[in-house]
Structures are given as structure tokens and as C-alpha cells.
Amino acid sequence: MESNQTRCYRCVGDIRKMIKYGKTKSGSQRYICRACGKTRVENYLYLAYKGDINQNIIQLTKEGLGVRSTARILKISTTTLLKRIVFIARNISKPIISKGKTYEGDELCTYIRHKKNYIWLVYALEKNSKTVVSFNVGKRTNKTPSRVLDTLKLSEAKKIFTDRLKNYRYLISEEMHSIKRFGTNHIERKNLTLRTHLKRLNRPTICFSESLVIFTAVLKIYFWI
């Protein structure tokens, strides 16, 4: 028996209709496409199937809500939410960096899983547009900021302003590096904005990330969407 109310989303056109194909454990009617064999339920009760769920996740994540708060508001499971956050972040591309620009670099300290496990966020923004062009998360060693600075060097940066952290002196040439008063005003203000918007970066706080993967994914969503 054909259903006039359902149509296969994989196939094109209204001719290929779906037929009834039993019921789910909850009693919902299932359908199968006669052309491609794709099955579906006419009305999904689980809200994670809604088309705008990813956009809502992005919006609430950028507003600083935690995983449990977002899952509770959207009425989806935390496991599904974590998978969606990682999926969204994987499809985000880095911004295109123009050559010959001036940048500011700085670092933030936070925790992963427990407060004894320190982790550092190092990132750089373009001085005029205030756009975050690159970031990296790791221990407070030369390896963590070097990945950010290598991106700036490839873009033939005109000048890179940083604070007096000694690591930068070994990673940036004297011609390109600059340490002066008010040189990092924009990124210092960005640090305050980050700590205000994202609970996992507040200080002092009991809200910190349990996973480095999720922490990185949230930063990509916040910086580049």
C-alpha cells in the first residue's frame, strides 16, 4: 500500500513513492523506497533528526553553554551532542590569511579533565580585522606556539606583537618580532571576551573541558563560524 504523504529524500521527483515497511518498537510506521531501498519513519520523535539542530548547537555553543545545558535545552542526548560538535568542527575550514599583515599573539591557561592538568591555548589574530587566523592547544613548550607562528611566517607577516614570554624570542626573528607597550591590546581584550563567553575558559571556574578533542572543536566553532 502506497503512502502519499511520504517521499524518498534520496530519490528525485514525486513519482517514486514509498510503501509501508512494518513498524518500529515504539509503534511508528516505517516506509521503504521501492527504487533505492532507503527506509525512514514518517515522523521522528527524537529531536536530533531536526534539520536545524546543527545551527542551534552552533548558536548555543558560541553563547558559552556547556554540553549538558545545550543537550537539556535542545532535548537531545549528551552523546549525540558531542558527536555533532566534533562533526561540525571537522567541516570548518581555516580562514584565508593574506600576506604582509600585522598580527598579535598571546596564550591562555585552562584545564583538561582536572585542575592539575594545565593546558595552554595559543592563538594569533590579525591586528586590523581582529580575525583569529590560527590557534593551537597544548603544553607550555615551544612546540605549541610554533605551529601558530609557522602559519604567520608562511604568510610573510610584516610584524608579530607578543608579550614578554621568553619562548617567542626563540621562535620569531628580531626583524619580525615586536614587544612594546599597547602592542597586544586587541588580543588581550579578546582574551577577556573568550573568558566571558565560554564558561570552560572562565577564571576561577569549576567549568572546564573533559576532553581535548571537544575543547578544540568548541574553539573552532567559536573562532571560525
Side-chain angles (χ1 to χ4, degrees), residues 53-225:
I53 192 70
N54 283 0
Q55 189 59 41
N56 291 335
I57 291 173
I58 292 171
Q59 183 179 0
L60 295 177
T61 299
K62 295 184 71 171
E63 289 294 330
L65 268 70
V67 172
R68 292 176 180 82
S69 300
T70 303
R72 184 167 58 251
I73 291 174
L74 298 180
K75 298 181 180 180
I76 61 177
S77 69
T78 55
T79 303
T80 300
L81 176 60
L82 293 174
K83 291 180 179 178
R84 290 294 183 95
I85 290 175
V86 175
F87 173 78
I88 293 170
R90 286 177 179 173
N91 290 277
I92 300 174
S93 56
K94 292 184 178 180
I96 299 175
I97 304 178
S98 302
K99 291 186 177 181
K101 298 292 185 178
T102 302
Y103 300 95
E104 299 179 17
D106 202 7
E107 65 284 337
L108 285 174
C109 179
T110 185
Y111 318 96
I112 296 293
R113 189 165 294 180
H114 54 81
K115 289 194 173 184
K116 293 182 180 180
N117 185 21
Y118 289 95
I119 202 77
W120 290 85
L121 163 64
V122 180
Y123 70 106
L125 58 80
E126 202 271 306
K127 199 172 183 64
N128 293 327
S129 65
K130 316 298 187 301
T131 302
V132 176
V133 295
S134 181
F135 76 91
N136 190 27
V137 180
K139 298 297 181 180
R140 199 176 193 184
T141 61
N142 288 346
K143 185 178 180 180
T144 302
S146 64
R147 295 187 61 181
V148 177
L149 297 174
D150 288 344
T151 303
L152 305 183
K153 294 174 183 177
L154 290 174
S155 66
E156 300 177 4
K158 183 178 180 180
K159 212 73 174 177
I160 302 176
F161 293 92
T162 69
D163 55 18
R164 298 185 181 275
L165 183 67
K166 62 181 182 180
N167 301 63
Y168 294 121
R169 299 178 183 177
Y170 305 106
L171 300 173
I172 310 174
S173 62
E174 293 183 3
E175 296 79 12
M176 191 181 299
H177 191 201
S178 179
I179 302 173
K180 70 175 185 178
R181 189 180 183 186
F182 306 129
T184 57
N185 276 10
H186 299 108
I187 198 166
E188 292 290 353
R189 184 59 184 84
K190 185 71 172 180
N191 291 345
L192 179 59
T193 302
L194 279 171
R195 293 195 183 278
T196 302
H197 286 181
L198 300 181
K199 282 186 177 181
R200 62 189 72 231
L201 287 174
N202 286 167
R203 188 175 58 183
T205 184
I206 60 172
C207 302
F208 47 85
S209 298
E210 294 287 337
S211 167
L212 183 61
V213 175
I214 300 300
F215 180 58
T216 305
V218 169
L219 290 174
K220 290 183 70 174
I221 293 173
Y222 185 84
F223 285 145
W224 295 333
I225 292 186

